[in-house]
Amino acid sequence: MQLFYSPLSPFVRKVLVLAHELGLAEGIELIPVNAWQPPEPLVRANPLGKVPTLLLANGESLFDSPVICEYLDGLHGATPRIPHLGPERLAALRLEALADGIAEAAVLRRMEVIRPDGERSASWLALQAEAMGHGLAALEREVASWGERFDLAQIAVACALGYVDFRFAADGWRDRCPQLAAWFTAVSRRPSLLATVPPAA
């Protein structure tokens, strides 16, 4: 398997963390790409030219991160990291969607921040920051119910928080969400998260 990736993407990190947790990481060849100038091999595999995109040995490709994670979770015989049926599956997918939404708002905010002077939209920046704040507050209300669980939903949360810390630490989310911050500090010691820390940029 080959994974087109950017090391700064929280969605790529989610895939990589799951791969490490499942013992599959060594079987994935990482192909770095410039997300701003997607190369032809990436566009052939994913017409959207986005990462993460997983290219399988048979030539088929999978995208985006929820689809790739679903595929990886089916490659092992251990307890699934994504519940298969019923209310547990819906709860896990909802939490993953919440975490991915926080990460997406943070990415959109970052993209707006780096636009040239005079082209930035203050209202757009405020909208994304507000979405992030509401999402983090929701996670703070839920985190106590997770216990020791570290399935795909919690992986998505950890990767979203890692990106928020990476790009917007000055927001001070840890002060507003102390239980969530304590949880993140604890899970950040897992080998899968230590192996996928984004490089300083």
Side-chain angles (χ1 to χ4, degrees):
M1 295 181 288
Q2 295 177 317
L3 183 71
F4 294 98
Y5 87 114
S6 165
L8 303 183
S9 165
F11 306 107
V12 166
R13 191 181 186 194
K14 180 174 70 167
V15 169
L16 293 176
V17 170
L18 179 64
H20 278 278
E21 291 283 334
L22 298 177
L24 301 173
E26 290 187 2
I28 299 175
E29 178 187 356
L30 300 179
I31 303 178
V33 297
N34 181 348
W36 298 103
Q37 296 178 322
E40 181 59 30
L42 172 58
V43 175
R44 284 199 305 269
N46 178 352
L48 301 175
K50 293 185 176 183
V51 295
T53 294
L54 185 68
L55 187 62
L56 306 182
N58 64 3
E60 294 182 6
S61 58
L62 299 175
F63 51 88
D64 54 1
S65 64
V67 176
I68 296 172
C69 289
E70 186 90 37
Y71 174 76
L72 294 179
D73 199 41
L75 295 182
H76 66 100
T79 302
R81 296 301 181 97
I82 309 170
H84 288 167
L85 298 170
E88 286 189 355
R89 178 175 176 82
L90 289 177
L93 294 179
R94 183 198 63 80
L95 181 55
E96 181 190 10
L98 176 59
D100 283 357
I102 294 168
E104 181 179 10
V107 169
L108 290 173
R109 185 177 165 196
R110 167 65 181 172
M111 291 171 64
E112 192 70 15
V113 164
I114 63 176
R115 287 175 62 135
D117 290 339
E119 295 184 15
R120 298 184 199 116
S121 168
S123 60
W124 181 254
L125 286 168
L127 180 65
Q128 303 311 321
E130 185 177 20
M132 291 168 60
H134 288 317
L136 291 167
L139 294 178
E140 174 72 4
R141 293 191 294 269
E142 295 186 24
V143 64
S145 68
W146 301 342
E148 298 298 315
R149 190 178 307 120
F150 197 68
D151 292 335
L152 179 62
Q154 286 76 31
I155 290 172
V157 171
C159 293
L161 295 178
Y163 189 79
V164 173
D165 255 0
F166 178 58
R167 292 299 193 193
F168 299 106
D171 284 0
W173 71 269
R174 290 170 178 269
D175 294 333
R176 298 191 306 275
C177 305
Q179 294 184 84
L180 186 62
W183 175 87
F184 182 53
T185 296
V187 300
S188 291
R189 302 187 187 105
R190 297 179 74 95
S192 61
L193 284 163
L194 291 173
T196 57
V197 173

